[in-house]
């Protein structure tokens, strides 16, 4: 049975936008809408986990609104989807799925087992003997499960997953009567989606030029932060310097116009008797008036900004005037909710089939149990038999859970080989550190600031690790400890994290070197104490801090030099500045001969003096 109320949630690069719709007969009304930022720019961007920002935004949405009892549709970015428009020969309707599956295997750049896909006939079904055109869309399973992970961690279970540009198409086709050829340009934060509407046909493409590129152009022009440039772009409509602002972003706009014109030209070569007459603009970037005028001047079509609703209504309690002012930002979210209410033109759904079956089974289990209990009374079925039937119904979910776990492992493996490498995989573990996890983020930011003030030579950051409470009091040896993030240590209020920070140098550390490094660490506002732990040969696995080094390959020179370790006690609250802070001397250790290491041959610029060496 179709839901009467639905939420459409558009998870974008910079914000989560949600719209609640209610259907009454042929009428659809907007009841609520929200925009919650989830961008990860600024001074702490290198430490920011976008997934964490998205989960926080979804949690905030659940606090501000109630999502229970409503159907839920979420978006997948167009850039993550592989689209194809496939012409099929005239065949019986029942054979279309078989032919589509064959065509998909021949045209798909990935194995079919690794993707989630769906299709929908576009033309030709109404006329027997006509060629049928099918719109085919696919996305990698690991990508889809990555987006769904944020929803599951926020305890949200979607009913469908739609592609962003198709959701915008569904909104426009429901809200207004589009009879002329129309190009929709939706400039988002991470990419631009193009949708060509040609009567009952449609065509989509994702372009890499985005609103963030426009913001970065303003940032470089005026030498300001990303946040300041974004704020400048948003207020451009009322700024007295709007003309100068547009001049700074014109090269980016010219590139975007070039992509639009190439896309229209390509579509015209693929389609007979197409006539484009209008261009419709969506997105927050078009709040710059000069940008809209520039599109009108350089495109030979009627160019308009989406600024009003025609068929969809807005409840009085939702402030209709305010919503229409922000309408270009909510087109995708409204389209998602319309599809969840089953009044959309296109019904592509990239929710993995195993999750669809799981959702259906979990919904049917209570009804199956109720039916069995009702049948047991008149038919004389024993209580034991009824419970056995219920148990078998619930056991059907177990194989699905195993398959889901397999896909999660696939997702984890792909994340570990992402651009961030092992550092990215370990940073994702910070969210599981329990009490004190935010202290890690502040500590790494402070450490990065301290290290960046050092010259790359002669000092280099060798690594960092967490010192457990047992090791701090000498209860266990260094060799029994794991790497950072391997396990959580409970930190009592008022105490703090104790971190071992290791530096390396081609020559032995002098007292002056140790004092300089210690003062750099002690000067950070959240550092409570710094304790020197001593130095050792760089290649000595039992030396200070026991740094981990990759063995030299055959024919290569083994690493040489010295390593010095500090134990830094870190507080979650900034401490008062202590001028002239001294570094605690290293604890007494058995005397051991340290011979100066030969200075290595000249080499290129070192890249180890930053946080990429964190193990």
């Amino acid at each position: 049975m179709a839901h009467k109320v639905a939420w459409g949630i558009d998870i974008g690069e910079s914000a989560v936008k949600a719209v609640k719709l209610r259907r009454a007969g042929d009428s659809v009304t907007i009841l609520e809408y929200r925009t919650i930022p989830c961008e990860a720019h600024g001074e702490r961007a290198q430490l920011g986990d976008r997934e964490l920002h998205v989960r926080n935004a979804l949690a905030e949405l659940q606090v501000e609104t109630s999502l229970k009892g409503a159907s839920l549709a979420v978006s997948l970015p167009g850039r993550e989807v592989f689209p194809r428009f496939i012409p099929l020969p005239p065949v019986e309707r029942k054979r279309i799925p078989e032919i589509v599956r064959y065509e998909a295997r021949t045209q798909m750049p990935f194995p079919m087992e690794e993707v989630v896909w769906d299709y929908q006939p576009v033309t030709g079904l109404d006329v027997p003997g006509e060629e049928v055109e099918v719109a085919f869309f696919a996305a990698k399973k690991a990508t889809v499960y990555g987006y769904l992970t944020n929803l599951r961690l926020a305890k949200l279970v979607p009913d469908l997953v739609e592609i962003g540009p198709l959701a915008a198409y569904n909104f426009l086709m429901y809200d207004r009567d589009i009879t002329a050829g129309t190009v929709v340009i939706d400039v988002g934060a991470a990419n631009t989606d193009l949708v060509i509407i040609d009567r009952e046909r449609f065509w989509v493409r994702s372009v890499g030029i985005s609103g963030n590129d426009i913001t970065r152009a303003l940032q470089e022009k005026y030498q300001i932060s990303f946040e300041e440039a974004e704020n400048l772009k948003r207020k451009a409509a009322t700024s007295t310097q709007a003309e100068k602002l547009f001049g700074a972003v014109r090269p980016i706009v010219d590139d975007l116009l070039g992509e639009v014109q190439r896309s229209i030209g390509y579509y015209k070569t693929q389609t007979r008797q197409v006539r484009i007459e209008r261009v419709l603009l969506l997105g927050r970037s078009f709040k710059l008036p000069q940008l809209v005028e520039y599109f009108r001047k350089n495109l030979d079509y009627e160019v308009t900004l989406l600024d009003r609703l025609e068929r969809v209504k807005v409840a009085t309690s939702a402030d209709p005037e305010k919503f229409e002012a922000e309408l270009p930002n909510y087109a995708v979210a409204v389209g998602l909710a319309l599809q969840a209410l089953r009044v959309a033109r296109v019904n592509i759904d990239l929710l993995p089939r195993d999750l669809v079956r799981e959702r259906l089974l979990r919904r049917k289990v209570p009804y199956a149990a109720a039916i069995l209990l009702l049948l047991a009374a008149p038919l004389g079925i024993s209580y034991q038999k009824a419970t056995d039937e219920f148990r078998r119904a619930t056991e059907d979910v177990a194989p699905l859970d195993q398959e889901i776990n397999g896909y999660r492992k696939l997702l984890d493996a792909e994340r570990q080989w992402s651009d961030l490498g092992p550092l990215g995989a370990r940073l994702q573990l910070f969210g599981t550190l329990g009490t004190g996890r935010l202290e890690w983020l502040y500590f790494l930011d402070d450490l990065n600031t301290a290290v960046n003030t050092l010259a790359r030579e002669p000092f280099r950051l060798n690594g960092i690790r967490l010192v457990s409470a047992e090791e701090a009091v000498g209860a266990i040896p260094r060799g029994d400890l794991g790497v950072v993030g391997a396990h959580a240590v409970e930190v009592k209020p008022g105490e703090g994290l104790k971190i071992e920070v290791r530096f390396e140098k081609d020559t032995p550390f002098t007292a002056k070197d140790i004092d300089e490094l210690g003062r750099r660490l002690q000067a950070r506002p959240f550092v409570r104490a710094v304790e020197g732990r001593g130095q050792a040969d760089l290649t000595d696995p039992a030396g200070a801090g026991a740094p981990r080094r990759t063995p030299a390959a055959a024919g290569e020179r083994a690493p040489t030099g010295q390593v010095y370790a500090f134990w830094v006690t870190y507080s979650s609250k900034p401490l008062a500045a202590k001028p002239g802070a001294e570094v605690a001397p290293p604890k007494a250790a058995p005397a051991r001969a340290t011979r100066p290491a030969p200075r290595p041959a000249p080499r290129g610029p070192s890249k180890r003096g930053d946080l990429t060496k964190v193990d």
Side-chain angles (χ1 to χ4, degrees):
M1 183 178 68
H3 284 84
K4 301 284 186 174
V5 179
W7 276 96
I9 301 180
D10 178 18
I11 304 177
E13 187 72 16
S14 62
V16 172
K17 288 153 283 190
V19 175
K20 182 181 182 181
L21 266 62
R22 180 183 62 203
R23 178 184 178 184
D26 294 333
S27 176
V28 172
T29 304
I30 296 172
L31 302 179
E32 294 183 64
Y33 56 93
R34 294 287 189 280
T35 295
I36 303 175
C38 64
E39 53 195 345
H41 298 293
E43 296 178 355
R44 296 184 181 270
Q46 69 276 15
L47 302 176
D49 178 5
R50 182 182 176 276
E51 308 302 322
L52 177 61
H53 285 274
V54 171
R55 290 195 290 271
N56 288 341
L58 292 172
E60 184 176 342
L61 175 64
Q62 294 181 84
V63 171
E64 294 183 1
T65 63
S66 175
L67 305 181
K68 293 182 179 179
S71 183
L72 183 63
V74 299
S75 66
L76 190 67
R79 66 179 183 276
E80 302 290 357
V81 178
F82 176 79
R84 277 292 182 271
F85 293 85
I86 307 173
L88 305 180
V91 295
E92 297 180 20
R93 180 174 296 191
K94 64 181 181 180
R95 293 196 57 199
I96 291 179
E98 175 187 350
I99 298 177
V100 170
R101 188 175 293 105
Y102 172 78
E103 292 289 343
R105 288 185 181 275
T106 59
Q107 299 192 33
M108 181 77 64
F110 318 107
M112 293 292 288
E113 297 76 16
E114 296 181 5
V115 300
V116 182
W117 62 279
D118 197 5
Y119 75 95
Q120 179 167 327
V122 178
T123 61
L125 284 180
D126 298 332
V127 181
E130 280 288 322
E131 181 181 86
V132 178
E133 184 178 25
V134 170
F136 175 88
F137 300 90
K140 297 189 71 174
K141 283 184 178 179
T143 300
V144 176
Y145 277 104
Y147 279 88
L148 294 179
T149 297
N150 291 326
L151 292 166
R152 290 221 160 190
L153 291 175
K155 298 182 179 180
L156 294 176
V157 180
D159 293 281
L160 63 93
V161 177
E162 179 59 286
I163 306 162
L166 293 186
Y169 170 82
N170 280 334
F171 162 67
L172 294 172
M173 296 303 292
Y174 180 87
D175 185 64
R176 54 201 65 206
D177 185 18
I178 299 179
T179 57
T182 302
V183 179
V184 181
I185 305 175
D186 185 3
V187 180
N191 63 279
T192 296
D193 291 322
L194 303 179
V195 183
I196 296 180
I197 303 175
D198 180 18
R199 297 185 296 275
E200 72 275 10
R201 301 182 76 254
F202 64 90
W203 183 84
V204 299
R205 183 194 174 202
S206 184
V207 178
I209 303 171
S210 66
N212 281 349
D213 293 322
I214 295 176
T215 304
R216 279 189 282 269
L218 293 174
Q219 180 184 12
E220 294 176 4
K221 173 67 175 179
Y222 297 106
Q223 295 298 304
I224 56 180
S225 68
F226 187 93
E227 288 80 2
E228 291 172 324
E230 181 69 20
N231 190 49
L232 198 62
K233 182 179 74 174
R234 294 178 184 180
K235 296 181 178 180
T238 58
S239 174
T240 58
Q241 303 295 322
E243 194 66 38
K244 291 183 179 180
L245 295 177
F246 178 73
V249 304
R250 182 174 295 173
I252 304 297
V253 177
D254 287 338
D255 291 342
L256 180 57
L257 279 169
E259 292 294 338
V260 171
Q261 291 169 338
R262 277 191 290 273
S263 299
I264 296 175
Y266 172 80
Y267 181 77
K268 287 182 175 180
T269 62
Q270 301 295 313
T271 308
R272 301 184 299 271
Q273 299 178 349
V274 58
R275 183 179 178 183
I276 304 297
E277 297 182 5
R278 297 179 58 196
V279 173
L280 194 58
L281 305 178
L282 309 179
R284 192 165 51 194
S285 298
F286 289 109
K287 287 192 174 184
L288 190 64
Q290 286 75 11
L291 185 59
V292 179
E293 291 301 322
Y294 196 71
F295 269 72
R296 287 173 178 160
K297 188 180 300 183
N298 288 274
L299 294 175
D300 297 328
Y301 313 108
E302 177 188 351
V303 179
T304 58
L305 184 66
L306 181 66
D307 57 0
R308 60 187 175 85
L309 292 168
E310 294 186 2
R311 185 179 176 187
V312 177
K313 302 176 182 178
V314 182
T316 306
S317 60
D319 193 347
E321 184 176 348
K322 180 180 178 182
F323 180 82
E324 289 196 342
E326 295 294 329
L327 181 58
N329 300 328
Y330 287 107
V332 172
V334 175
L336 292 170
L338 288 171
Q339 184 173 344
L341 292 175
R342 301 187 181 181
V343 293
R345 177 76 63 89
V346 175
N347 292 290
I348 296 295
D349 183 7
L350 295 184
L351 184 68
R353 299 282 83 84
D354 54 341
L355 295 185
V356 173
R357 291 192 296 268
E358 176 190 1
R359 187 188 67 230
L360 293 176
L361 282 173
R362 293 190 185 278
R363 287 181 177 178
K364 290 180 179 180
V365 164
Y367 297 103
I371 292 173
L372 288 173
L373 290 175
L374 290 174
L375 292 175
L379 298 178
I381 300 176
S382 66
Y383 173 80
Q384 183 62 43
K385 185 176 181 180
T387 55
D388 289 343
E389 292 292 329
F390 178 77
R391 176 180 53 80
R392 283 195 293 271
T394 56
E395 286 176 351
D396 290 342
V397 180
L400 296 176
D401 288 335
Q402 294 179 359
E403 189 172 355
I404 291 170
N405 290 334
Y407 288 133
R408 285 173 177 165
K409 291 180 181 178
L410 176 65
L411 174 61
D412 292 338
E414 181 164 318
R415 282 182 172 176
Q416 289 178 0
W417 293 101
S418 61
D419 293 338
L420 287 179
L423 175 59
R426 288 168 183 168
L427 285 177
Q428 291 174 354
L429 295 174
F430 287 170
T432 65
L433 282 175
T435 304
R437 63 173 179 256
L438 292 180
E439 296 176 5
W440 265 106
L441 299 179
Y442 294 131
F443 168 73
L444 289 176
D445 189 36
D446 271 359
L447 177 60
N448 194 40
T449 302
V451 171
N452 284 340
T453 60
L454 291 170
R456 294 277 179 169
E457 298 292 344
F459 306 116
R460 296 178 297 274
L461 181 65
N462 179 275
I464 67 171
R465 70 179 182 87
L466 176 67
V467 179
S468 70
E470 293 84 356
E471 185 186 5
V473 298
I476 59 176
R478 159 70 180 93
D480 293 337
L481 292 180
V483 297
V484 173
H487 63 282
V489 175
E490 182 180 0
V491 180
K492 298 179 180 180
E495 296 182 359
L497 295 176
K498 179 162 288 191
I499 313 297
E500 181 179 271
V501 183
R502 303 187 298 272
F503 294 91
E504 64 179 69
K505 186 184 175 189
D506 294 331
T507 59
F509 284 81
T510 65
K512 181 178 179 181
D513 294 337
I514 296 169
D515 183 66
E516 179 183 355
L517 292 172
R519 288 178 184 275
R520 298 287 180 130
L521 295 173
Q522 184 70 64
R524 305 311 305 158
F526 291 91
V527 172
R528 175 180 295 173
V530 177
E531 176 186 349
R533 300 295 296 174
Q535 65 176 309
D537 289 340
L538 186 60
T539 56
D540 184 1
R548 284 191 254 169
R549 306 292 294 170
T550 302
E556 295 183 2
R557 177 181 298 178
T560 61
Q562 297 286 310
V563 64
Y564 195 93
F566 294 91
W567 279 9
V568 181
T569 303
Y570 189 77
S571 172
S572 60
K573 297 180 180 179
L575 305 174
K578 300 188 287 289
E582 297 292 338
V583 181
K587 294 183 179 179
R592 50 199 308 272
T594 303
R595 56 185 181 81
R599 188 164 187 84
R603 56 190 176 189
S606 173
K607 296 183 178 180
R608 293 178 292 175
D610 54 29
L611 292 183
T612 59
K613 190 63 183 69
V614 175
D615 60 4

